[in-house]
Amino acid sequence: MNKQKSSRWMEETLQYIKEQLHHSYLHNAIGAPEIDEKRLSLLLLPFQITGSYSELDKAYVSTAMLIQTALDTHEKVSVQETDSLKHRQLTVLAGDFYSGLYYRILAQIPDIPLIRRIAHAIQEINEHKIDITSKKLDKVEDILFSLMKIESAIITQVFAHRGFDKYISLAEDLLVLNRLAREKDQFSSDEHSIFFQQLAKISSSAPQMYHNDDLDTHYNLFTQTKNQIASKIKELEIPFESLKGSVFIPFFEAAVQPKIYVEEG
Amino acid sequence: MKLKMLYSFLKTDIDEIEKELNLAIESDTALLKDASLHLLQAGGKRIRPVFVLLSAKTGDYDIHVIKNVAVTLELIHMASLVHDDVIDDAELRRGRTTIKAQWDNQVAMYTGDYMFARALDYMTIIEEPIAHRILSNAIVELCIGEIAQIEDKYRFNQNLRDYLRRIKRKTALLIAVSCQLGAVAGKVPEEVHTRLYRFGYYVGMAYQITDDILDFTSSEEELGKPAGGDLLQGNITLPVLYALKNEELAPKIKKVHEYTQKEEMSLLINEILATDAIQKSAQLSQLYLKKALKELDALPPSKAKKSLRDIALFIGKRKY
């Protein structure tokens, strides 16, 4: 793989996505949308390995990023309504606008099967989002499964559509690992963590009571996922230089055994 | 006469669409299904599916194909209503609590996104690429229109062109593409589906202008909200634009803000009603209606054509 070529693909794709998302009034009022570059680096991984990336591929990758940005933007609509009404209004509309862009790009190609695949992914993601935020899941595996679907359903569909099925399982694990790292950061800085909230629901009859075991559970899942990723990298014979995307950061960071214990419930 | 009477011959097919809408919102996630059903059961005129069916009647009409377009457009409309209620911070819609009020903003956002995805899923049953180009452009334009509506709030120096462009995107476009996509699904020639697009566009423009007039001329009881609510929220509609031409009245209108008192608003509404703003707005609405009817002239006589004509006239005459 040519390193220069792959960073050019990254830059060009990022530029194209930014151009698509550009709306001067929206960006002045609520800020430019955050583009998840970790996810973008993962989307580009199979192309880097195969050494080929066409204009059509760029459209597929950008589409996946646009819809992800749309869903991420809607995540920012607050439940507590702490932001101003205008900010909330524009955040809703920005997400709707970005998701319209994904459809428009694929309609122009046209690629109706991919429109269908992504529509299925969006449905699945929102079903899992509702499940994980509104009900008590029965097992830790169910929490992990929901998080995995929320994080990876779109990439999975794009990879499958492009014939990159063998990378799907690796993508799922990498995105779950990144999500687990994020959940831990949120929990550690006293922000809301849906993962730890669900663990609390499973391990305690009283909601919002965290247990020492929850951090252990997180550590075990994190380590287990890292091991899975390591064996998949080996199995797929992915060259070391391809593991430099930002999505691999949590994979290379050493997992820290929990030492800080929160008060027992 | 009730609107439904104008297309009673479509009853079986409209029932079929209603059934399909119920199937479309099926989900293993109980809360998602409950929230979607909550909105679906609130009813609505289903005017977009009606336009789809009537336009499709100008070509090869197969309800098993056409219904997918009708369901798509109604789901997109429903998804936008769920998100609109978050935008407007609305507690009630069609006399029922909104999803955001019954559950919360997050559930409303997820439900809207889910419905939008379901809509596109249905649309992919239609394989004509042109249908997707038409719909996707309309969706993007619709969003841009809603953003412009917020940008233009309390902006009293806007002109007629700003207003017309905004209501095109906000209302007319979805009616126009309902007509056009029905015809595309019915495999009519381009000349016919673009004609039906224009018909829907003109009807939609007339509809929204009438809506904006009614906001001033209807009672609070008829509207379900205080008269002049649009102006109070900063939406500069056509009657306001015409009233702003009155030099005496303009400074008073420009002072309106979201906390303007009810009594003050009532006085201002009466002053606006005393100008020729309503009359001039009605004239423009009639002009659009005339243009809509003219588009139908070239179509061969049929029951569907008569219904499209009657619906357009009904919209022109509606009182609330």
Side-chain angles (χ1 to χ4, degrees):
Chain A
M1 185 198 59
N2 182 325
K3 198 181 160 195
Q4 262 185 337
K5 206 159 62 171
S6 77
S7 55
R8 199 184 69 227
W9 292 344
M10 177 87 179
E11 278 164 31
E12 282 175 4
T13 312
L14 201 54
Q15 185 57 31
Y16 177 72
I17 294 166
K18 283 180 182 170
E19 281 165 16
Q20 294 295 316
L21 291 169
H22 184 73
H23 187 295
S24 45
Y25 174 71
L26 265 185
H27 296 183
N28 285 335
I30 60 169
E34 287 165 32
I35 300 166
D36 183 351
E37 291 190 28
K38 285 186 177 185
R39 200 174 293 268
L40 179 57
S41 70
L42 178 59
L43 270 159
L44 289 171
L45 181 70
F47 299 101
Q48 287 165 355
I49 293 170
T50 55
S52 147
Y53 187 58
S54 66
E55 280 300 305
L56 187 62
D57 293 329
K58 187 164 89 179
Y60 289 156
V61 168
S62 303
T63 293
M65 290 304 297
L66 288 173
I67 192 62
Q68 190 64 48
T69 309
L71 297 175
D72 292 348
T73 302
H74 280 169
E75 282 299 312
K76 291 178 184 163
V77 176
S78 66
V79 179
Q80 304 301 331
E81 304 189 350
T82 45
D83 46 4
S84 75
L85 179 62
K86 190 173 168 184
H87 194 278
R88 186 165 72 243
Q89 290 171 330
L90 291 173
T91 308
V92 174
L93 292 173
D96 290 347
F97 173 54
Y98 305 152
S99 70
L101 293 174
Y102 115 77
Y103 181 35
R104 192 169 68 176
I105 291 177
L106 292 181
Q108 276 162 355
I109 291 174
D111 193 329
I112 298 166
L114 188 55
I115 295 170
R116 186 182 303 124
R117 278 178 178 276
I118 293 186
H120 285 172
I122 303 168
Q123 289 166 48
E124 200 176 17
I125 287 170
N126 284 291
E127 286 180 325
H128 281 284
K129 279 183 175 177
I130 292 240
D131 276 348
I132 206 166
T133 51
S134 65
K135 73 178 194 187
K136 174 183 177 287
L137 298 176
D138 296 328
K139 293 178 286 196
V140 175
E141 291 75 28
D142 293 343
I143 307 174
L144 204 65
F145 182 72
S146 273
L147 288 181
M148 189 256 284
K149 286 291 173 192
I150 290 167
E151 292 298 320
S152 65
I154 290 166
I155 283 192
T156 297
Q157 291 297 342
V158 174
F159 279 5
H161 187 69
R162 190 54 186 73
F164 290 143
D165 299 70
K166 66 177 182 177
Y167 296 103
I168 290 174
S169 174
L170 173 68
E172 287 173 344
D173 283 342
L174 276 167
L175 289 169
V176 161
L177 192 76
N178 276 273
R179 178 70 188 247
L180 284 173
R182 223 162 53 233
E183 293 289 329
K184 171 82 182 301
D185 287 347
Q186 285 167 347
F187 179 72
S188 305
S189 48
D190 284 334
E191 287 172 35
H192 176 71
S193 156
I194 197 74
F195 175 79
F196 283 96
Q197 191 187 47
Q198 275 291 342
L199 283 187
K201 282 183 187 172
I202 290 176
S203 58
S204 164
S205 52
Q208 306 291 341
M209 292 286 192
Y210 297 104
H211 288 245
N212 295 340
D213 292 350
D214 295 343
L215 281 168
D216 287 334
T217 304
H218 180 276
Y219 173 79
N220 292 336
L221 286 175
F222 195 85
T223 311
Q224 182 192 317
T225 311
K226 273 180 79 164
N227 291 340
Q228 283 167 202
I229 292 169
S231 64
K232 277 167 198 165
I233 289 171
K234 202 173 160 193
E235 189 188 313
L236 291 166
E237 296 176 346
I238 298 178
F240 185 73
E241 62 268 25
S242 296
L243 310 179
K244 289 185 178 158
S246 50
V247 74
F248 286 98
I249 293 172
F251 174 70
F252 286 113
E253 275 175 0
V256 182
Q257 185 100 37
K259 283 179 189 162
I260 310 156
Y261 285 94
V262 290
E263 199 177 320
E264 281 282 2
Chain B
M1 187 187 264
K2 281 193 170 175
L3 182 62
K4 277 185 181 172
M5 299 290 288
L6 304 178
Y7 47 84
S8 54
F9 70 98
L10 291 175
K11 191 179 178 313
T12 317
D13 291 351
I14 289 169
D15 289 347
E16 174 77 21
I17 288 165
E18 204 63 33
K19 246 190 265 171
E20 199 63 47
L21 280 168
N22 273 285
L23 285 176
I25 56 161
E26 272 292 333
S27 167
D28 291 338
T29 302
L31 177 53
L32 195 50
K33 191 181 163 188
D34 288 349
S36 308
L37 202 61
H38 181 80
L39 182 67
L40 188 66
Q41 285 172 344
K45 297 186 202 81
R46 310 281 187 249
I47 194 73
R48 290 153 199 86
V50 168
F51 277 126
V52 170
L53 297 183
L54 290 172
S55 301
K57 289 272 183 189
T58 61
D60 298 338
Y61 187 89
D62 176 354
I63 185 62
H64 301 296
V65 176
I66 309 298
K67 72 176 178 185
N68 298 303
V69 179
V71 168
T72 297
L73 285 157
E74 194 59 15
L75 285 173
I76 288 173
H77 173 61
M78 285 168 66
S80 75
L81 293 183
V82 183
H83 285 179
D84 279 353
D85 289 335
V86 177
I87 290 170
D88 298 336
D89 210 6
E91 298 286 318
L92 288 174
R93 177 174 290 280
R94 294 173 190 150
R96 288 168 73 105
T97 50
T98 56
I99 293 179
K100 77 135 252 166
Q102 177 101 4
W103 289 277
D104 59 34
N105 281 348
Q106 208 173 35
V107 171
M109 293 316 298
Y110 296 158
T111 308
D113 285 346
Y114 177 80
M115 279 184 169
F116 178 67
R118 288 295 290 145
L120 295 194
D121 199 0
Y122 265 87
M123 192 62 194
T124 58
I125 298 169
I126 307 296
E127 289 185 341
E128 279 81 4
I130 188 177
H132 292 276
R133 281 200 297 273
I134 292 167
L135 184 61
S136 63
N137 279 327
I139 289 169
V140 172
E141 285 293 310
L142 208 99
C143 294
I144 293 174
E146 288 224 49
I147 294 164
Q149 179 157 317
I150 293 179
E151 189 178 2
D152 285 347
K153 273 191 178 183
Y154 301 106
R155 191 168 71 79
F156 292 101
N157 64 350
Q158 59 187 276
N159 56 33
L160 182 64
R161 206 168 149 227
D162 293 326
Y163 167 79
L164 294 176
R165 195 170 46 191
R166 200 169 59 238
I167 67 165
K168 173 193 172 181
R169 285 163 165 166
K170 178 185 163 186
T171 307
L173 209 52
L174 208 51
I175 295 179
V177 298
S178 299
C179 295
Q180 188 174 22
L181 290 175
V184 169
K187 299 186 169 38
V188 302
E190 189 185 343
E191 189 256 323
V192 178
H193 69 68
T194 50
R195 183 176 291 284
L196 282 160
Y197 169 88
R198 288 195 300 271
F199 165 78
Y201 165 69
Y202 293 138
V203 168
M205 295 298 276
Y207 180 89
Q208 188 56 51
I209 294 172
T210 307
D211 222 41
D212 292 341
I213 294 171
L214 292 173
D215 190 59
F216 283 97
T217 58
S218 301
S219 64
E220 185 166 347
E221 198 184 0
E222 285 165 338
L223 287 169
K225 57 178 186 176
D230 285 340
L231 177 57
L232 189 64
Q233 286 175 4
N235 293 326
I236 315 301
T237 58
L238 191 57
V240 179
L241 281 176
Y242 284 135
L244 277 166
K245 294 199 187 302
N246 181 314
E247 284 179 7
E248 228 175 273
L249 198 50
K252 293 183 192 172
I253 294 174
K254 287 177 186 173
K255 277 187 192 158
V256 171
H257 53 81
E258 58 185 313
Y259 303 112
T260 301
Q261 292 301 305
K262 203 176 171 183
E263 298 74 26
E264 209 178 319
M265 274 307 290
S266 293
L267 287 172
L268 189 59
I269 290 165
N270 285 336
E271 286 191 76
I272 292 172
L273 291 174
T275 68
D276 60 355
I278 300 294
Q279 195 195 345
K280 283 174 86 174
S281 303
Q283 277 170 1
L284 189 58
S285 174
Q286 287 301 315
L287 194 67
Y288 275 116
L289 218 53
K290 239 190 212 171
K291 281 167 137 335
L293 297 176
K294 200 164 171 239
E295 291 296 337
L296 293 181
D297 286 348
L299 298 177
S302 69
K303 245 194 230 178
K305 178 180 168 177
K306 187 180 177 309
S307 282
L308 287 170
R309 188 183 168 80
D310 291 345
I311 293 170
L313 290 170
F314 181 90
I315 283 170
K317 284 183 199 153
R318 78 197 169 104
K319 293 279 179 272
Y320 53 89

